[in-house]
Structure formats: structure tokens, C-alpha cells
């Protein structure tokens, strides 16, 4: 092989090796940080990147040696070329492989790109009317869109969707979905806590969480305490089948279900997330609650009456200085462990290590921790 061609191959191999080595280092830092928060660490991505970097290094060394020797062909090059042509002949005659289509969303509709305005229509079986999402802001380096989505009662409710940075770069990518629960009737979670997207972005930038597509439906009306309504009647979730179909049809999401959908509640919305995770494990793979106060007896009763299914997985997180929130979390965990049915099966983790100089900084850290927990938990099939 001519020396210029060898050198041309050497450069991209070296660049790829450096990129993989850097990725391994970044991932290792993220996994090491996971241990600080007492979360599970997965070293497989680190090892795979290191192995790739090692292979690139070996290939680069081989190419460099051949280039130094002058790129002289070996004695049996002619034989190898003939063998290659012999093998290639039947391959040319074979039919071309068909590239598999990307995984479609559960609605069966092709996803539409969300640039400035994202729109999509749910399937005819789920929602006969198309739902159009309109861009309204660009918080946390992403894009926030809004639409009026019909509910089961025939009335429309506001639904906001936050697209993470670089969402439109790869149309074939499928994003996990994080449903944000609000505590105020008729309002979405981001209007109560506008910095919730900053916490998600922080987790993504630090490599602690995969990019989530965050869905914030307006909390149910007709009651002053939507979280109590969710605990008493799990079917009253704002995240119903019509909303899921509309989101899956309009955006590049993973199929609705516990393998790709999770839920998060902050402060007043925390009990909603816990109630949803405990009573509807067939919808959510995991639930995270931040700085919440809980009615342990009501949530345990709701979980005990839920249909049998996968073990609910819940994170209860509060700042180290939030003694009242931590006491509520431990009380709920003890009540669930002493309950029956789905309550007794619940896998509950409590985080009490986060601390910072200001409440808003602690909230950002807690949301970042929750995003990491949800990413790690969704990656592990429920037992």
C-alpha cells in the first residue's frame, strides 16, 4: 500500500482513539460521582471505550510500522488480492441488505422534527385530531413547546414539552421521556419551578444522565390538591393515553411504557410523582421525588390496592439540611416496607447527602441527582 495512503488512514485512527480515551475518562468521572450519591455505577461503557481506544492504538501502531518500512507489499499480496476478488464475486451477486427502519413510537406515526414548531398527529386509533406543538421559549439551551391536548373528559389541557439540546441532530434517535408533575391545579411544573430544566441540563452536561424529553402536563383541576387526587384515583393521572399518543406521534420518543418513561416531582409535586410511580408501574419504570412531604398512610394504601405488576422503584431525595423532608421520606419508606401487595414490593432509595450554600443551588443538585437515578434505573430491567 502506498505510504501516503497509510498516513491518510493513520490520522483518523489516532483521532478516533483519542476520542474514545477521552470519552472513557469523562464517563469514569461520572460513574465515580455516582458512588458519592450512593447510586449504582455501570462501568461497562467505560470498559468498552477503553477497549476501543486500545484497538485504535494497536491499529495506529501497525500502520505506523508499515509506513516506516516504506509501505512495501508483502510477497503474497497477489494471492490475497485474488482471494478477495473470489470472495467478493458472490457478494456482488447477492441482494443488497435492507437497512432496518428505526424503532417507531407506540402510536405508529412517523416522528416529525421539532424546529421552531414541532407538530404531529396521534394515530387514528388513539386520537382522531392532530395535536400541534408550538415553540414558546428556549430555556436551558433546549426548546420549550406547548399545545392543547384533549383529555379523556373531552376538555383540552395545556401540555409543555422541553426538548434537550441537539434534539434535532439525529432524527433516528429515540429519547426517554420524563413526566413532570405539578402541584397547582391547571398549572404545569415548569411554571412552578422554572429552573427544573437547568437541573436536567446540568446532569446531561456532566454525563450523569441521558438526554430526557421532559413532558409537563397541567395538573388536574376540580381539586385544590391534585396529588391527593392521584393517590386516591391513579386513573386520574394527567399523563393519560391520549397525551402519551400525542407526544409519541409528535416527537422522537421511546415507546410509552416502563422501559422508556419515568416521572419526577419537585416540592409540592413530589407526592404526585410517588403516587404515580407506586400505583402505575406499568406506565413508569421509575419515579423520583425531590424535597417532598408525604402522606405515608395514604400512599401506602394506594400502593397496596394497585394491581400486581413490576416492583415500583422510587427515589426520595432531600437536602441534608432539610430535616423535615428527610423525616417524611424515611416515614414513607418504613410504611411501604410494612405494607402489603405492591407497597411491600417497592424498591425505595433515600438520598440525604446534597448540600449547597443556597436553596436554589440545592434544588438544582437534587434534580440533577434525580435525573441520574432515573437514567440508571431505566437502564436496568425491572425485576
Amino acid at each position: 500500500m502506498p505510504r501516503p495512503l497509510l498516513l491518510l488512514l493513520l490520522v483518523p485512527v489516532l483521532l478516533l482513539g483519542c476520542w474514545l480515551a477521552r470519552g472513557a475518562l469523562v464517563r469514569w468521572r461520572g460513574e465515580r460521582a455516582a458512588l458519592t450519591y450512593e447510586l449504582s455505577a455501570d462501568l461497562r461503557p467505560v470498559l468498552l471505550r477503553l477497549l476501543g481506544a486500545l484497538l485504535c492504538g494497536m491499529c495506529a501502531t501497525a500502520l505506523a510500522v508499515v509506513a516506516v518500512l516504506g509501505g512495501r507489499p508483502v510477497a503474497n499480496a497477489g494471492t490475497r488480492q485474488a482471494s478477495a476478488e473470489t470472495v467478493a464475486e458472490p457478494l456482488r451477486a447477492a441482494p443488497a441488505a435492507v437497512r432496518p427502519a428505526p424503532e417507531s413510537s407506540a402510536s405508529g406515526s412517523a416522528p416529525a422534527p421539532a424546529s421552531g414548531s414541532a407538530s404531529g398527529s396521534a394515530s387514528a386509533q388513539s386520537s382522531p385530531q392532530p395535536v400541534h406543538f408550538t415553540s414558546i421559549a428556549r430555556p436551558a439551551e433546549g426548546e420549550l413547546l406547548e399545545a392543547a391536548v384533549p383529555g379523556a373528559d373531552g376538555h383540552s389541557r395545556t401540555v409543555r414539552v422541553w426538548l434537550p439540546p441537539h434534539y434535532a441532530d439525529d432524527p433516528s434517535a429515540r429519547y426517554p421521556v420524563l413526566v413532570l408533575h405539578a402541584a397547582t391545579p391547571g398549572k404545569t411544573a415548569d411554571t412552578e419551578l422554572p429552573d427544573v430544566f437547568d437541573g436536567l441540563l446540568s446532569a446531561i452536561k456532566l454525563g450523569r444522565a441521558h438526554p430526557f424529553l421532559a413532558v409537563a402536563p397541567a395538573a388536574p383541576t376540580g381539586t385544590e390538591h391534585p396529588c391527593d387526587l392521584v393517590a386516591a384515583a391513579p386513573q386520574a393521572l394527567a399523563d393519560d393515553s391520549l397525551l402519551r399518543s400525542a407526544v409519541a406521534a409528535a416527537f422522537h420518543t421511546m415507546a410509552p411504557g416502563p422501559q422508556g418513561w419515568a416521572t419526577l416531582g419537585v416540592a409540592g409535586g413530589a407526592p404526585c410523582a410517588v403516587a404515580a410511580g407506586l400505583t402505575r408501574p406499568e406506565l413508569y419504570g421509575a419515579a423520583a421525588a425531590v424535597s417532598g412531604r408525604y402522606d405515608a398512610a395514604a400512599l401506602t394504601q394506594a400502593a397496596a390496592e394497585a394491581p400486581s405488576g413490576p416492583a415500583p422503584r422510587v427515589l426520595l431525595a432531600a437536602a441534608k439540611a432539610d430535616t423535615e423532608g428527610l423525616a417524611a421520606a424515611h416515614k414513607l419508606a418504613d410504611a411501604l416496607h410494612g405494607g402489603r401487595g405492591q407497597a411491600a414490593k417497592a424498591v425505595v432509595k433515600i438520598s440525604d447527602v446534597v448540600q449547597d450554600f443556597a436553596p436554589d443551588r440545592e434544588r438544582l443538585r437534587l434534580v440533577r441527582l434525580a435525573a441520574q437515578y432515573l437514567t440508571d434505573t431505566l437502564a436496568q430491567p425491572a425485576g
Side-chain angles (χ1 to χ4, degrees), residues 1-16 55-72:
M1 181 180 294
R3 181 177 296 176
L5 183 57
L6 290 172
L7 295 176
L8 186 63
L9 291 175
L10 177 61
V11 173
V13 171
L14 285 174
L15 292 176
L16 178 60
L55 291 176
C56 289
M58 295 172 61
C59 292
T61 301
L63 290 172
V65 171
V66 176
V68 170
L69 294 178
R72 293 189 298 269

Side-chain angles (χ1 to χ4, degrees), residues 191-204:
T191 59
E192 297 177 328
L193 299 167
D195 58 353
V196 66
F197 301 132
D198 295 315
L200 298 178
L201 177 65
S202 176
I204 295 171

Side-chain angles (χ1 to χ4, degrees), residues 27 116 129 144 162 164 166 180 183 197 205-206 303 308 315 323 328 336 344:
R27 185 71 185 192
Q129 299 179 348
L144 185 63
W162 179 74
H166 310 293
L180 305 177
F197 301 132
K205 283 191 169 182
L206 291 175
S308 180
L315 171 69
T323 55
L336 290 171

Side-chain angles (χ1 to χ4, degrees), residues 316-330:
L316 305 176
K320 191 172 184 178
D322 184 6
T323 55
E324 184 180 350
L326 291 174
H330 284 285

Side-chain angles (χ1 to χ4, degrees), residues 16-42:
L16 178 60
C18 293
W19 180 78
L20 288 171
R22 180 180 180 277
L25 178 61
V26 172
R27 185 71 185 192
W28 162 242
R29 289 175 178 173
E31 297 300 336
R32 186 174 58 183
L35 299 177
T36 304
Y37 293 105
E38 301 181 0
L39 298 174
S40 60
D42 185 3

